[in-house]
Amino acid sequence: MAQHNVSVEDTLKVLVDNKKYSTVKDVLVTMNPSDIAAIFDQLAEDQIPIMFRLLPKALAADTFVEMDSDNQELLIKGFSDTELKQVLDELYIDDAADIVEEMPANVVSRILMHVTPDKRREINEILRFPENSAGSIMTTEYISLSPDMTVRDAFEKIRTTGVDKETIYTCYVLSRFNRILGLVSAKDLMLAKDQDSQVESLMTTNVITVNTMMDQEEVAKQLSKYNFLALPVVDSDNRMVGIVTFDDAMDVMVEEATEDMTIMSAQTPYDKSYLRTSPFELFKHRIPWLMLLMISATFTGLIITSFESALAAQVILTAFIPMLMDTGGNSGSQSSVTIIRAISLGEIEFKDIGKVLLKEFATALMCGITLGAVCFGKVMLVDGLLFHNPQVTVLVAMVVCFTMATTVMVAKLIGCALPLLAKKLGFDPAVMASPFITTIVDAISLMVYLKIATAVLF
Amino acid sequence: MAQHNVSVEDTLKVLVDNKKYSTVKDVLVTMNPSDIAAIFDQLAEDQIPIMFRLLPKALAADTFVEMDSDNQELLIKGFSDTELKQVLDELYIDDAADIVEEMPANVVSRILMHVTPDKRREINEILRFPENSAGSIMTTEYISLSPDMTVRDAFEKIRTTGVDKETIYTCYVLSRFNRILGLVSAKDLMLAKDQDSQVESLMTTNVITVNTMMDQEEVAKQLSKYNFLALPVVDSDNRMVGIVTFDDAMDVMVEEATEDMTIMSAQTPYDKSYLRTSPFELFKHRIPWLMLLMISATFTGLIITSFESALAAQVILTAFIPMLMDTGGNSGSQSSVTIIRAISLGEIEFKDIGKVLLKEFATALMCGITLGAVCFGKVMLVDGLLFHNPQVTVLVAMVVCFTMATTVMVAKLIGCALPLLAKKLGFDPAVMASPFITTIVDAISLMVYLKIATAVLF
């Protein structure tokens, strides 16, 4: 694609400044809602409402959904009652519920006042589910059919009710009590040879459902596993209450991967994008973990001081502490991150702990022996011969090499076991990632190192 | 959902052993291809072909696609020519190409011999694109319409050609030279009021396309950004050659997040699932990085030995090395992981480096001052008073506290700058994650620590 030196954004700003509104409108209507929203989010606060009012109704609503919540709030506050009603009428229920969740109380009551009673009931329905549950991300707008409808009837129903539905491509066949009897895809209906055949004869009865309380991550995983466009959500009585669509599942997958990475790097997860998060917010998400881990390093300090005389006599022992600690940390984080990801992808669970420990033990043995051997060579050649350090003896090199091998093995076993244990105990495995494991491995490897060193060298 | 103590898998095994094939078949046909494939992957090698032959044609092909490549190979080798042809005829082109990519040469030539010449050409077309490009994950089976067709004609074309297409829900309107004029969704067609109106009058002309060479991660990002079911892929002449569908994009997103996490924890990424990766493969993916990082720790060792006499005189200085190093490492990894993720989500790029440095500097200042202050208190109270260490003086505590603050700030700035720099230079930012940054931060913080300590204390 060609490189543009002038951005559309800049052009639009100039056009608005010069009050060339009809040109602005002509440009905007050729664009996608996500792109328009991205441009709006870059504009000055007083330009957003002007631009927004230029958009045709449906495009305005789609753009509104994609905007930052700060700017949504700004727009709602500036809307007349009629404008607010127009935008709200165009929104899908799940998007409306998402927006309501982000707004301050006075804006929420204004929104709820201007939606139809039906919509208000449905928004409240979604809002009562816990955050990150299937119920909280579902939409209540889907196409339902009855088993005795013909293909022709089904098309008719889709034609009359479809325009407001988030997807018309998967239709659910429900009993009188809203229990799911089966599903038919729009493809099944379109390719049906006989317009008079009953929906019942075309439908798939093997329907995968999720419960309203299921975690959104699990919902996204199911949807991706089966390559479905949408998954039906049922309540505890097994009655259908809504659907989760693939686009929401995609957002969930991205969110959850980000959350895992954030937790693995010892931070409390947060929703906002990086550039919209203030330094003070970043500070609040980072400092508790840094503090906790810093204070837990008291143990390593105590271990070192208890071997005071040995370390004073042979400073060369100190010189290898960073190398041993870092290699231990890296070995542990390789295993822990691998296991945390495999747990989160559903590849392994606690019952696999035997297999995992065995595999990691074998890997650790190979890594430990290799690193130990290379370490021996490195210490003798680089630290001893190259830098002429008289304190580097064969005995010292052997102690370092043995500690290296032990540290790597301990690190890998702890690294794979802790996340599985955390999962079993109902914690997020990601919390057990490198920072915690490093702290534990540090203490163990220092103990091993200094115990052996004092035993062998003194 | 109810807990099952007997798995379907075990039941099926028993049924096969007892040759109750028709029961097995009845059970299997109620299940989803992904679930059947998961069960097959657990079975003994001799049971797989038996079970597979029980599946109806279409279900067999769908299940085949979801199986592990080892088992696909096993099945293909056992297939008669007719069986192979039957499965291949049911496969979508992109799935067939994926399978061909994983198979050894002799199996590949057997596959290519048994597909239709058209399919063979299309498979080869896909295979010539580089791995991880849009071309390599696209399918060439999509619905194309001409602008002058009526809604009725379009339905007719979908009905006659739709059964083989991966999606019939987005139809592309093409010129005689395969250039994209617009798109119509099945929804547009189904909700059209007049069956005689022309496709041209219903189509959206603002079509987002991706190039065959675009990275698959970028394709998935585009698809998710616009909430599309499929994205059209065009060649360098802007002619349409295929589509990428949302389910493939979902797989790409999961793969890419896993790859980022693997690289960030200093491992070479690999495709297989954890339980299918042998210890020796894990070893090969982990050892080069461990070795590199271990050897780079030679620097920290040199720094320590160059301050030998100071460290021999005051072993208490050694006691704080692990705490300083770990806190530095943790601070750096908080920043680097945050920035790497933000880059990969497209939230920031190199041009934002000013904003990022400023934000991280402000955060680092707050973290540094807080940790420095708490560290001073901890050293005086815990190490000094609680554990009665006479070597802990106010001066020592001040040196540690100052180093702590400096280390945190240096770590955060390096942690945010390196990934952006890597991106600018065309490397994967994830390579610059915690392990590398830890090594650099270790060296810097040791230098600062020991320089100040010797200046102040001796």
Side-chain angles (χ1 to χ4, degrees), chain A residues 45-96:
Chain A
E45 288 202 356
D46 56 330
Q47 288 189 313
I48 300 175
I50 303 177
M51 295 265 227
F52 190 82
R53 291 195 170 95
L54 297 174
L55 299 173
K57 236 169 36 180
L59 186 59
D62 289 344
T63 303
F64 186 77
V65 170
E66 302 285 336
M67 290 171 67
D68 272 329
S69 59
D70 297 354
N71 288 328
Q72 289 173 338
E73 191 180 332
L74 178 89
L75 277 177
I76 295 179
K77 285 182 171 159
F79 279 159
S80 70
D81 287 353
T82 327
E83 282 173 325
L84 180 59
K85 205 167 161 3
Q86 268 179 0
V87 170
L88 292 172
D89 283 349
E90 295 280 333
L91 293 184
Y92 290 126
I93 289 294
D94 57 338
D95 292 330

Side-chain angles (χ1 to χ4, degrees), chain A residues 206 308 326 359 391 442, chain B residues 30 277 308 326 360 391 442:
Chain A
N206 166 29
E308 200 178 324
D326 281 348
K359 198 184 284 275
Q391 288 194 50
D442 278 358
Chain B
T30 68
T277 311
E308 203 180 321
D326 282 347
E360 287 297 318
Q391 288 193 47
D442 278 359

Side-chain angles (χ1 to χ4, degrees), chain B residues 24-75:
Chain B
V24 173
K25 184 176 173 177
D26 290 347
V27 174
L28 288 177
V29 294
T30 68
M31 295 172 66
N32 265 282
S34 318
D35 292 326
I36 302 177
I39 289 176
F40 280 14
D41 286 337
Q42 307 284 325
L43 292 178
E45 286 202 357
D46 55 330
Q47 288 190 315
I48 300 177
I50 304 177
M51 293 266 227
F52 189 82
R53 290 195 170 93
L54 296 173
L55 298 173
K57 235 168 39 176
L59 186 59
D62 289 346
T63 303
F64 187 79
V65 170
E66 301 285 336
M67 290 171 66
D68 271 330
S69 58
D70 297 355
N71 288 328
Q72 288 174 339
E73 192 179 331
L74 178 88
L75 278 177

